[in-house]
Amino acid sequence: MLLDLILLAPFAAALVGGLLYLYDPQARREKIYSIIALTPVLLGAVLSLVIGWSFIFGETTHIESTLFEWLHVGDLRIALTLSVDRLSMVMLFFVTFVGALIHIYSAGYMSGDSGYGKFFAYLNLFMASMLLLILADNPVIMFIGWELVGLCSYLLIGFYYREEAAIPAANKAFIVNRIGDFVFIMGVALLFVTVGVNGFGFTAIEASITKIDTAMLSLIGLLLFVGAMGKSAQIPLYVWLPDAMAGPTPVSALIHAATMVTAGVYMVARFDFLYSRIPGVGEFIAVIGIASALLAAVIASYQSDIKKILAYSTVSQLGYMFAAVGVGAYSAGLFHVFTHAFFKALLFLGAGAIIIALSHEQNIFRMGGLRKDSRLLYYTMLIATFSIAGIPPFAGFFSKDAILVSLLSTGHYTLWSLATFGVFLTSYYMFRLFFAVFHARSYGFRVLKPLPLTMTVPLVVLAVGTATLGLLGVGGTFGNFLGLADIHAEADHTIEYLLAIFNLFVVAAGAGLAYRLFAQEAEPPNEESRVRRLLVHKFYIDEIYGYVFVKPLYFIASFTGNLIDHKVLGRMILLGVEGYRRAGEGFGKLQNGRVRFYTLYMLVGISYISYYLLSILGGI
Amino acid sequence: MDNILSVLVFFPAIAGLLGFVVDKGSARVYGISVATVELLLALWLWMSFDTANAGMQYVELIPLVPDFGINYYVGVDGISLFIVVMTALMTLLGMIGMSIEKEIKNMIISLLFLEMTMIGVFVALDAIVFYLFWELSLVPMLYIIGAWGGPLRIYASVKFFLYTFTGSLIMLVGMLFMAYLYNSVSGVWSFSLTDWYALVLPENYQIWLFLAFFAGFAIKVPMFPFHTWLPYAHGQAPTIGSVILAAVLLKMGTYGFVRFSLPLFPDASVMMIWPISVLAIIMVIYTAMVAYAQEDIKQVIAYSSVSHMGIIILGTFAMNAEGISGSIFLMLSHGIVSGALFMLVGVIYDRRHTKLMSEFGGLAAVMPKYAVIFGFMLMASVGLPLTIGFVGEFLVLLGFYEISPIGAILGGTTIIIGAIYMLTVYKRTFFGPVTNEKNKTLPDLNGKELTALVPLVAIVIWLGVYPKPVLGPIDTSVKALISFMHEKARSDIAKDTITLSKSVKEAK
C-alpha cells in the first residue's frame, strides 16, 4: 500500500498538473501547480523515511506489492510488482529526499516562467518514472522506468524550446539514450530466452542464473552494461550529458546529476548476482569507468561554463562508481552514488543560485569575488567542493576513499594509480571553479538578485547532508546494511589509513595548484597551443561523431530516399507497365485500316490452314 | 444475437444504401450515427465474447453455391475480434475528424460501404467470401482517393487499384487450386477455411500455394519491394483515406498471413521464414531510411508506417506465441497510432494546405494542444513504454529473438532510427521560434478534432499501461493456432521451429 502510494501519487500529480496546464497554458496559477507537484513528492519522502525506519530499526528486509499483471503472453509473464529490499531502499531514500528538496528549490527557481505548470508536470513524471525504475521487481518493468526517465530527460532538456541549443541537445540525449536502451532491451530479451521460462523476477533469475554458461552470461552482462553506458553517460555514449545542461538548472541537479544518471550503477548492483559471476566483464566495466573518469576530468579542467564543468564532473564521478562495481565492490559504488547525490545536487543548486543571482551568467571567469557578496553561497559551495574533492569529514571523502581502497585491495594497481590521478584532477578543476567564482578579482560592479527562501533552505539542508552523511560509511556500516554480493578483499587497516593520508596529499596538491592559478587573477584558458585547443574543444569528440555517424546516416537516408526508392524501385515497377503498353502499340500497328495488309493476313491464314489440313490428310 | 457478425457486416452497407435518400445537410450526422451504432455493436461483441474459448465464435453458415461448397461462412476468434473493433472505431473517429465539405454525402456512403468490406474480410471463414470482400474494399477506396484526392489523384488511385488487384488475382488462382486439391482428396468441393485447415499437403504444393497467397498479402501489407504504390496513395489521398488505408486496409495483408498462410501451409511457412524475414528486415531499415529523407510530414508518416509493418511481419513469422500475439497486438496499435498520426497531419494540412516541414516551426507555442497530442502519438510510434506502441514491438522482438537474435537486433534498429526521424519531424515542426508569419495565428485543435483525437490518446495510454484485456484473448487463440500448426506440420524442422509455450506443453 505504501509503495503503491509512493509510485502512483507523482504519476497522478503529473497527470492532473499537466491537464490543468493544457486546459489554459496562459493562466498564472503557480501556487496551485506547486501544491499539486510538491504534495506527492513530500509524501514520498516521508513514506520512504517510514520504510527506511522499519528497515533499519525493525525486522523488515523486504516489502512487496503487486499492482496488477501487466501481460501474460506465451511464456512471458510480467506483473507490475513493486518491491523494496535494502538496495532499493537506499535508492528510494535519496531519490525522494533529494527529489523533494529540488522540487522545493524549483518552486523558487522557476517562479515567473510561463511554463511553470508544464515544468512541474514533467518533474513529477520524472519522479514517478525514476521510482518505477527503482522499485521494479523484474527487468521488463525496470526497462519501462528506464525509458520513461529518458523521455522526461528529453522533455526537460528541451524545456526552453525556443532557444537554439535546447532542442538539438534534447534530441541528442533521447537518441543516444535510445541506443543504449536498445542494446539493454536486447540483453533483457536474451536473458528471457535463456532463463525466462521459469519466471522473470529478479529473484527467479537469480535462482536460475547457474543454468547459463559463462559465455552467454558475459554477453548478457555486456549488453546490459551498454544500456548503462547510455543512461549513466560513460564512454562512448557520454556525449549527451554535457549538452543536457541546456535544461533548467534544477533539472540538471535532479536528473542529470543526482538520480537518473546513477540508474546504470544501480542496474549493475541490482544484477550483482550476474556480474559477480563474470569478472571479465567487470574488468571491462571498471576500465570504461576509469577511462570516463579521467577523460571527463581532463575536459572539465579546461571548460569555462559552470554547468559544463559540473556536467563533466558528473561523468567523471559516475566513472568512479562504475570502477567500483566493476571490480565487484558494489557497496562502495553504491555509497558513492548515495553521497554524490547530495554533494552534486548541492553543487548544481548552488550553481543555479549563482546563475540566477548574476542574471544568467554562466561563465566562471565573469563571476569572481562572489565570496563577499553571498556568505551563504560561499559556505555551501565550499562544503560541496570539499566533499567532491575528497576532504574529510565531508561525504565524498569516505565514498571515494572506499572506491580507491577496493581498487587497490583487489589488485588493480594500474586502475588505482589512474584513479588517484583522477582525484588530483578532480580537486584541481573543482577548486579552479571555486576560486574563480568566489576568490578571484571581481568582474565589474553588480547587484545580486536576492534569493527566495525556497531556494536557500534546500541549499542548507543539502549542505548539512553533505557534511554529515559520509559518516554512515565509517567501519563499513553502509556496506553491511546493503548486503550486496561484494567481492571479499580485505585491506590491512594500516594500508587503508596510509592510503587516506596519501589521498589527502593528492587533493591538497590539486587544490594548491588551483589556488596558485586562479585565486587572484582568473583567466579563461587560452587556445594558443595545439594541445590546449584540443582540450578546450573537448578533443573534438562531438565533431568526430558528427562525421562518423550523423553525416553518413543522413547521406544513406537521402541516397535511398531520393535515388533508390523513386528512381530505381519506382521505375522498375513501371517497366512492367511500359512493356505492356509497348506490346499494345506493336499489335496496334497490325490493325492499320489498309486493305492490302488485311488481304495479306488472310492469305497467310488460309495458306497455313491449307497446309495444316493437307498434312493431316497425309497429302504431303 | 447469434447473428451479430452478419449485422456488423451488413448494417453499414444497408445504412449506406439508405444514405442515398438522406438530405445532404444531415449526411454527416447520419454517417456518424451509423458508425456509432456499429461501434457499439462491435463493443457488444467484445463484451459478450467468451475469452476463454480459443475457437471461432458467433459462427454463421448459409450455403450459397452448394455444388461448389461456397458458403456464406463467418466467425470471430481472439485474433480477429479486436481488429473488427478497431475497424469500427477508426471508421467512426475518422468520420468525426473529417474536414471534407465537398460531396459529403458520397463520402459518407463510400465510407459505410468500405466499413462493410473491411469487417467482412476480418470475419470471413470462406475463401470466396473473403476474396469478395477483399476485392470489394478496393472500390470505395479507389473512389475516395480518385474523387477527393490531390492533383495526381487519378494516377495514384489507378496505381493503387492495379497494383493490389494484380496481387489478389494471383491469390485467387491459389484459392481455386486449393479447392481443387481439396476436391481431389475428399471428392467434394469446399472453400471453407475450416475444411482447408484439415488438409495436409505435401511440401512442394505448400510452397507454391504459399507463394500465390503471398502475392496477394505482400502487396497489401505492402512488403518491400512492392511498397511503391503506398506513398503515392498516401500522398494523394484525403486525410480520411490515409487514415483508413493505414489503420485498417494494410492490416488485411498481415491478417491474411495469420489466417491463411500459417495454418494452411505450416511447413512452407517455416521454410519461408528466412526469405520473408530478410525482406521484412530490409523493409524495416530501408523504409526508415527513406522516411528520414522526406521533407513532407505525411510522407514521413507513410514510410514509417511501412517500416512498422515490417515488424508485424517479423512477429508473424516468429512461430511462437510471443511473436504472433505481439504482431497481432502491433496491428492494433499500428492502426491506432498511424491512424492518429495521419489525422494529425490532416489537421495542419487543413489549416495551411501544405505538409512540408520547412513551412512550419515553433508550432508548440501556437498550438499547444495539437503539439501535445502529436507528441503523444509520436512517442507511441517510436514504441515508448507505457504507450500502446511498446507492448507489441517488445513482444515481437522477444519472439523473433528465438528464431534469430541477429534478425531481432537488425529489426530492432527501428527503435533507434524511428526515434531519429520522428524527433526530427517534431523538432522542425514544433520547436524553435515561429519563423513563418502565416503560422502565428493558427487556431489550436477545434472541438471536432479533439473529439476524434482524445479517445485515441486515451486508448494509447490505457493499452500501454494495461494491455492484458486485449492481449489475453489474442494469446488464447494464438496458442491454439500454434498447437494446431505444430500438430499439422509434416517435417521435423517445422515441428521444432513452431514453438509451443511451456504451459501448452505441460497441459499435454
Side-chain angles (χ1 to χ4, degrees):
Chain A
M1 214 25 236
L2 282 185
L3 288 182
D4 303 357
L5 200 59
I6 290 181
L7 178 73
L8 295 180
F11 263 124
L15 192 67
V16 173
L19 286 178
L20 194 64
Y21 173 75
L22 261 189
Y23 179 71
D24 182 7
Q26 312 303 336
R28 293 251 159 272
R29 355 178 155 85
E30 293 195 355
K31 269 228 170 81
I32 303 175
Y33 286 134
S34 32
I35 290 170
I36 294 174
L38 286 175
T39 317
V41 183
L42 291 173
L43 182 77
V46 172
L47 290 181
S48 66
L49 275 181
V50 171
I51 293 175
W53 190 272
S54 67
F55 268 75
I56 296 168
F57 301 104
E59 298 286 296
T60 325
T61 53
H62 187 230
I63 309 177
E64 206 175 83
S65 159
T66 301
L67 284 162
F68 53 81
E69 184 168 69
W70 189 58
L71 51 78
H72 180 194
V73 171
D75 294 324
L76 180 71
R77 184 170 225 152
I78 302 294
L80 187 50
T81 301
L82 310 177
S83 89
V84 181
D85 58 2
R86 290 182 159 173
L87 173 60
S88 35
M89 196 229 94
V90 170
M91 294 292 288
L92 181 67
F93 168 70
F94 82 76
V95 167
T96 52
F97 190 74
V98 175
L101 286 174
I102 293 176
H103 270 72
I104 296 171
Y105 177 91
S106 309
Y109 186 92
M110 297 302 291
S111 176
D113 193 293
S114 62
Y116 194 88
K118 185 169 76 170
F119 178 83
F120 276 104
Y122 289 165
L123 217 54
N124 273 168
L125 184 64
F126 169 75
M127 284 302 283
S129 314
M130 188 71 204
L131 291 169
L132 187 65
L133 191 163
I134 293 169
L135 297 175
D137 98 316
N138 67 65
V140 177
I141 300 292
M142 186 185 201
F143 179 75
I144 294 180
W146 186 271
E147 277 259 272
L148 285 182
V149 290
L151 169 75
C152 299
S153 160
Y154 163 78
L155 292 172
L156 284 162
I157 296 169
F159 183 75
Y160 299 124
Y161 62 87
R162 290 185 191 83
E163 281 172 21
E164 203 155 310
I167 298 304
N171 281 7
K172 188 175 180 182
F174 194 83
I175 290 162
V176 173
N177 265 296
R178 264 265 148 151
I179 295 170
D181 295 355
F182 166 61
V183 182
F184 181 79
I185 195 69
M186 286 299 143
V188 173
L190 193 57
L191 193 60
F192 172 75
V193 173
T194 41
V195 294
V197 186
N198 309 313
F200 206 41
F202 287 117
T203 36
I205 298 172
E206 185 168 6
S208 47
I209 198 84
T210 46
K211 289 183 197 150
I212 312 177
D213 64 83
T214 317
M216 184 59 101
L217 208 58
S218 305
L219 183 59
I220 295 173
L222 269 180
L223 291 175
L224 294 178
F225 175 61
V226 174
M229 282 176 179
K231 198 103 314 181
S232 296
Q234 295 295 292
I235 293 174
L237 298 181
Y238 73 92
V239 286
W240 65 273
L241 188 63
D243 291 14
M245 297 303 128
T249 307
V251 170
S252 310
L254 179 62
I255 302 184
H256 304 120
T259 58
M260 181 185 92
V261 289
T262 61
V265 187
Y266 170 68
M267 187 276 296
V268 174
R270 181 50 63 206
F271 278 108
D272 60 346
F273 56 87
L274 190 153
Y275 282 102
S276 57
R277 302 179 71 86
I278 39 172
V281 175
E283 301 273 311
F284 175 72
I285 295 176
V287 170
I288 290 284
I290 290 295
S292 305
L294 281 184
L295 179 77
V298 170
I299 296 177
S301 308
Y302 284 86
Q303 297 304 302
S304 310
D305 182 320
I306 186 167
K307 286 182 74 180
K308 284 263 157 92
I309 297 173
L310 292 178
Y312 279 106
S313 91
T314 307
V315 175
S316 174
Q317 298 303 310
L318 288 165
Y320 278 103
M321 299 169 201
F322 276 110
V325 294
V327 299
Y330 300 100
S331 15
L334 252 293
F335 190 40
H336 201 52
V337 168
F338 181 73
T339 58
H340 176 258
F342 285 87
F343 65 71
K344 188 51 70 65
L346 180 56
L347 282 169
F348 265 111
L349 295 190
I354 293 169
I355 294 169
I356 284 280
L358 294 179
S359 312
H360 298 279
E361 178 57 67
Q362 300 205 6
N363 189 337
I364 54 169
F365 299 108
R366 296 167 145 273
M367 294 173 176
L370 265 185
R371 180 171 51 134
K372 297 186 198 81
D373 297 318
S374 171
R375 287 276 147 188
L376 176 91
L377 284 178
Y378 179 75
Y379 284 112
T380 49
M381 285 297 268
L382 183 65
I383 291 173
T385 307
F386 275 179
S387 182
I388 188 175
I391 296 174
F394 300 101
F397 165 77
F398 295 97
S399 53
K400 197 174 278 183
D401 195 49
I403 292 175
L404 291 169
V405 170
S406 68
L407 285 176
L408 194 65
S409 62
T410 49
H412 296 86
Y413 300 113
T414 322
L415 289 183
W416 171 78
S417 38
L418 290 172
T420 308
F421 180 58
V423 170
F424 168 76
L425 285 176
T426 310
S427 168
Y428 168 73
Y429 71 72
M430 281 315 300
F431 277 103
R432 169 178 176 265
L433 184 155
F434 184 78
F435 291 134
V437 173
F438 290 102
H439 285 260
R441 195 167 54 85
S442 179
Y443 194 89
F445 177 77
R446 68 205 153 188
V447 181
L448 261 62
K449 289 189 190 159
L451 296 172
L453 218 54
T454 43
M455 287 171 74
T456 47
V457 171
L459 283 177
V460 175
V461 177
L462 281 173
V464 173
T466 303
T468 53
L469 286 172
L471 298 171
L472 287 177
V474 176
T477 326
F478 189 86
N480 293 340
F481 174 73
L482 275 180
L484 292 168
D486 280 333
I487 193 163
H488 290 290
E490 292 289 315
D492 198 330
H493 279 300
T494 338
I495 295 180
E496 273 188 36
Y497 294 136
L498 284 175
L499 197 63
I501 292 166
F502 174 66
N503 286 341
L504 275 179
F505 277 110
V506 174
V507 171
L513 185 62
Y515 184 81
R516 260 197 60 164
L517 293 175
F518 298 100
Q520 316 299 327
E521 291 285 326
E523 290 289 331
N526 59 50
E527 299 189 26
E528 276 155 16
S529 75
R530 217 175 263 174
V531 181
R532 271 169 182 270
R533 207 176 307 141
L534 192 68
L535 290 167
V536 172
H537 289 276
K538 309 155 208 164
F539 298 103
Y540 293 101
I541 300 278
D542 280 326
E543 287 80 358
I544 293 170
Y545 278 20
Y547 277 107
V548 178
F549 300 109
V550 183
K551 290 221 165 121
L553 184 78
Y554 191 74
F555 175 74
I556 294 169
S558 58
F559 180 74
T560 44
N562 299 332
L563 192 73
I564 307 261
D565 204 55
H566 278 263
K567 306 243 159 80
V568 181
L569 272 182
R571 291 273 162 86
M572 240 159 58
I573 304 294
L574 286 179
L575 275 185
V577 181
E578 187 68 4
Y580 184 73
R581 204 171 59 82
R582 289 266 167 83
E585 276 174 9
F587 283 116
K589 282 199 180 116
L590 294 178
Q591 202 170 354
N592 51 16
R594 291 186 194 162
V595 182
R596 274 193 296 154
F597 279 81
Y598 292 169
T599 327
L600 181 68
Y601 305 155
M602 277 168 69
L603 194 68
V604 171
I606 292 170
S607 321
Y608 181 74
I609 292 169
S610 320
Y611 173 80
Y612 180 71
L613 287 176
L614 282 173
S615 68
I616 292 176
L617 294 173
I620 301 173
Chain B
M1 288 245 281
D2 286 339
N3 46 7
I4 173 83
L5 292 183
S6 295
V7 175
L8 272 172
V9 173
F10 294 110
F11 170 66
I14 294 167
L17 273 180
L18 289 176
F20 281 109
V21 298
V22 172
D23 172 56
K24 201 179 170 207
S26 43
R28 173 191 216 97
V29 178
Y30 175 75
I32 290 175
S33 327
V34 172
T36 310
V37 174
E38 178 81 355
L39 177 63
L40 291 176
L41 288 169
L43 290 176
W44 185 87
L45 175 72
W46 179 10
M47 288 306 126
S48 59
F49 182 88
D50 177 9
T51 49
N53 180 352
M56 285 294 166
Q57 302 182 30
Y58 294 102
V59 176
E60 287 172 60
L61 195 147
I62 304 164
L64 291 178
V65 190
D67 290 348
F68 284 98
I70 300 173
N71 306 306
Y72 170 74
Y73 183 25
V74 294
V76 68
D77 66 353
I79 295 171
S80 49
L81 170 69
F82 297 105
I83 308 185
V84 170
V85 177
M86 197 250 306
T87 305
L89 176 80
M90 292 311 291
T91 312
L92 171 64
L93 294 181
M95 245 184 227
I96 293 176
M98 193 166 61
S99 62
I100 289 171
E101 301 292 338
K102 190 185 98 182
E103 304 281 348
I104 179 75
K105 194 163 127 181
N106 294 351
M107 173 58 95
I108 295 288
I109 293 169
S110 307
L111 282 174
L112 291 177
F113 274 110
L114 188 58
E115 185 165 25
M116 168 193 79
T117 61
M118 293 187 297
I119 293 187
V121 164
F122 295 124
V123 299
L125 292 179
D126 182 281
I128 295 296
V129 175
F130 177 85
Y131 182 77
L132 278 179
F133 283 127
W134 174 282
E135 292 293 39
L136 274 181
S137 71
L138 294 182
V139 181
M141 191 41 101
L142 176 80
Y143 188 52
I144 289 175
I145 300 177
W148 288 274
L152 291 172
R153 57 183 181 271
I154 301 296
Y155 176 73
S157 58
V158 170
K159 190 171 186 176
F160 156 74
F161 189 91
L162 287 183
Y163 217 129
T164 47
F165 191 66
T166 313
S168 33
L169 277 183
I170 303 175
M171 178 176 78
L172 179 66
V173 174
M175 286 176 172
L176 295 176
F177 186 56
M178 188 76 197
Y180 165 78
L181 284 176
Y182 186 82
N183 182 40
S184 59
V185 172
S186 67
V188 288
W189 286 96
S190 175
F191 282 91
S192 135
L193 258 184
T194 36
D195 286 344
W196 285 7
Y197 282 166
L199 191 65
V200 180
L201 295 170
E203 274 100 331
N204 55 342
Y205 280 171
Q206 282 195 29
I207 284 282
W208 286 109
L209 282 165
F210 182 94
L211 290 176
F213 280 89
F214 176 80
F217 300 147
I219 290 180
K220 200 76 160 186
V221 168
M223 283 185 73
F224 177 89
F226 311 114
H227 66 275
T228 49
W229 64 269
L230 188 73
Y232 261 102
H234 275 310
Q236 299 303 318
T239 301
I240 178 75
S242 293
V243 170
I244 301 287
L245 188 62
V248 188
L249 288 190
L250 303 189
K251 307 303 174 303
M252 290 183 178
T254 46
Y255 172 78
F257 279 120
V258 179
R259 185 60 83 213
F260 285 82
S261 306
L262 294 187
L264 289 179
F265 323 115
D267 297 288
S269 301
V270 170
M271 270 186 258
M272 295 300 285
I273 284 179
W274 273 110
I276 289 187
S277 308
V278 168
L279 275 188
I281 290 167
I282 293 177
M283 170 176 167
V284 169
I285 298 174
Y286 171 87
T287 43
M289 282 301 183
V290 178
Y292 185 39
Q294 301 303 308
E295 282 293 314
D296 180 318
I297 307 174
K298 198 171 183 187
Q299 291 292 310
V300 178
I301 303 207
Y303 277 105
S304 100
S305 138
V306 179
S307 178
H308 286 108
M309 290 303 280
I311 304 282
I312 298 181
I313 302 281
L314 273 189
T316 308
F317 285 87
M319 301 293 164
N320 50 39
E322 289 87 357
I324 299 179
S325 298
S327 81
I328 292 162
F329 192 85
L330 200 53
M331 287 183 211
L332 303 171
S333 74
H334 181 274
I336 293 192
V337 173
S338 63
L341 283 171
F342 278 116
M343 276 188 213
L344 286 163
V345 178
V347 166
I348 202 72
Y349 183 73
D350 287 342
R351 283 162 175 65
R352 284 286 323 276
H353 298 285
T354 177
K355 296 170 288 196
L356 290 178
M357 278 183 251
S358 50
E359 286 284 317
F360 300 105
L363 288 189
V366 190
M367 304 169 71
K369 293 189 180 98
Y370 179 65
V372 168
I373 294 183
F374 202 112
F376 254 108
M377 290 303 164
L378 180 151
M379 285 301 163
S381 162
V382 303
L384 193 85
L386 293 196
T387 68
I388 194 170
F390 172 67
V391 182
E393 218 166 79
F394 171 65
L395 286 173
V396 165
L397 292 178
L398 197 66
F400 201 76
Y401 222 98
E402 294 187 25
I403 297 281
S404 151
I406 300 293
I409 288 172
L410 287 175
T413 49
T414 175
I415 293 180
I416 300 168
I417 311 176
I420 294 177
Y421 64 74
M422 287 307 265
L423 289 185
T424 308
V425 169
Y426 204 74
K427 176 176 94 179
R428 294 183 56 188
T429 315
F430 289 94
F431 290 142
V434 187
T435 44
N436 195 328
E437 276 300 319
K438 292 177 196 156
N439 295 333
K440 286 203 168 136
T441 51
L442 289 182
D444 207 346
L445 296 176
N446 58 32
K448 202 172 72 180
E449 290 154 348
L450 279 173
T451 322
L453 288 165
V454 169
L456 292 176
V457 173
I459 293 172
V460 160
I461 298 174
W462 164 46
L463 288 182
V465 174
Y466 190 50
K468 213 181 151 219
V470 168
L471 263 177
I474 292 178
D475 190 48
T476 312
S477 289
V478 165
K479 273 184 186 141
L481 171 74
I482 289 173
S483 305
F484 174 77
M485 288 169 65
H486 187 78
E487 293 274 296
K488 191 177 164 184
R490 292 159 57 101
S491 63
D492 290 337
I493 178 151
K495 275 200 194 298
D496 281 350
T497 313
I498 302 169
T499 332
L500 296 175
S501 300
K502 194 182 156 216
S503 55
V504 178
K505 262 185 226 156
E506 279 164 2
K508 291 196 170 161

